Amino acid sequence: EADIYQTPRYLVIGTGKKITLECSQTMGHDKMYWYQQDPGMELHLIHYSYGVNSTEKGDLSSESTVSRIRTEHFPLTLESARPSHTSQYLCASSEYLGPEAFFGQGTRLTVV
Amino acid sequence: AQSVTQPDIHITVSEGASLELRCNYSYGATPYLFWYVQSPGQGLQLLLKYFSGDTLVQGIKGFEAEFKRSQSSFNLRKPSVHWSDAAEYFCAVSPGGADGLTFGKGTHLIIQP
């Protein structure tokens, strides 16, 4: 079944650790996105990609980085986690010419 | 740049009553419009979308929304809510073919027994 997967679902990690949030999709979509959502708040776009080897920064500045080596995979990395990075991170994908986005279940990150 | 306003942070509705969630957008042309629902600890599920054509669109779970160009609105409605509808509802816009969605702050829907 076509879907978009995020791992882990929950992560509690210490300050200064390097983390990678995984996102994979079997939708066959070219575009992928990362959104950050603080509790009770709207979603903000932090990264997006049009396809392999394409990465762009979104509206909200983020210290995270992303890569797109394979079409189906769009991991997000924090080199040195800080408590201010505590948030929910949602991955999404869409067809290249379609604005409709499909979302994963999200990763809730807590940095202590 | 486009923006989305959801004026109601919280709405409480009795089970079986009708529901309307408001959404206003700001954009130079007619954008693509969406309503998503998010249950606690979950991702977003698309309820419905408007691209063009008939201004009244039907979605999943018995929801519908009406696009009103003159009011720059895209309000979500349901004739009779169920306890399982309790969730966070987000309105979103996209200029189309572009770089992600712009979301409103969301409306938290509470269902009273």
Side-chain angles (χ1 to χ4, degrees):
Chain A
E1 181 181 335
D3 210 337
I4 181 162
Y5 305 93
Q6 290 187 243
T7 57
R9 289 291 314 279
Y10 303 93
L11 178 62
V12 180
I13 200 160
T15 298
K17 299 290 186 183
K18 177 180 179 178
I19 58 170
T20 297
L21 308 185
E22 301 289 348
C23 177
S24 295
Q25 51 100 358
T26 57
M27 312 282 283
H29 288 162
D30 289 306
K31 289 185 179 177
M32 296 188 74
Y33 312 85
W34 278 103
Y35 289 85
Q36 184 174 338
Q37 182 184 29
D38 292 326
M41 301 292 286
E42 71 225 79
L43 286 79
H44 289 286
L45 182 67
I46 52 174
H47 299 283
Y48 61 97
S49 167
Y50 291 110
V52 172
N53 294 326
S54 156
T55 61
E56 305 287 343
K57 291 192 178 294
D59 306 321
L60 182 68
S61 176
S62 173
E63 294 168 348
S64 59
T65 59
V66 292
S67 62
R68 190 91 183 272
I69 299 172
R70 302 199 319 263
T71 301
E72 64 273 17
H73 194 215
F74 191 42
L76 180 145
T77 298
L78 278 165
E79 291 292 334
S80 179
R82 295 207 301 269
S84 61
H85 297 140
T86 295
S87 190
Q88 172 151 261
Y89 294 85
L90 289 159
C91 181
S93 70
S94 70
E95 294 179 355
Y96 191 81
L97 294 178
E100 178 180 345
F102 296 86
F103 283 81
Q105 297 279 64
T107 293
R108 185 167 296 282
L109 172 66
T110 302
V111 184
V112 297
Chain B
Q2 63 270 19
S3 66
V4 179
T5 302
Q6 293 181 247
D8 303 305
I9 299 174
H10 300 278
I11 281 191
T12 301
V13 178
S14 298
E15 190 169 15
S18 63
L19 169 70
E20 182 169 28
L21 302 183
R22 296 184 289 166
C23 172
N24 293 95
Y25 67 91
S26 172
Y27 183 61
T30 300
Y32 297 115
L33 296 159
F34 307 87
W35 275 100
Y36 285 86
V37 61
Q38 184 180 35
S39 297
Q42 301 296 312
L44 275 70
Q45 181 182 22
L46 180 67
L47 283 176
L48 45 77
K49 60 193 177 188
Y50 174 77
F51 289 174
S52 65
D54 192 346
T55 57
L56 184 63
V57 294
Q58 302 297 321
I60 62 172
K61 304 185 179 186
F63 286 93
E64 66 178 27
E66 185 172 12
F67 169 61
K68 292 185 177 180
R69 184 190 307 273
S70 61
Q71 298 176 18
S72 296
S73 69
F74 188 57
N75 295 348
L76 181 72
R77 301 195 293 249
K78 186 171 184 177
S80 176
V81 298
H82 185 262
W83 63 266
S84 60
D85 293 324
E88 194 80 19
Y89 290 79
F90 291 94
C91 182
V93 304
S94 169
D99 312 325
L101 299 167
T102 298
F103 285 87
K105 292 184 183 294
T107 297
H108 184 61
L109 177 63
I110 301 165
I111 307 295
Q112 280 183 339

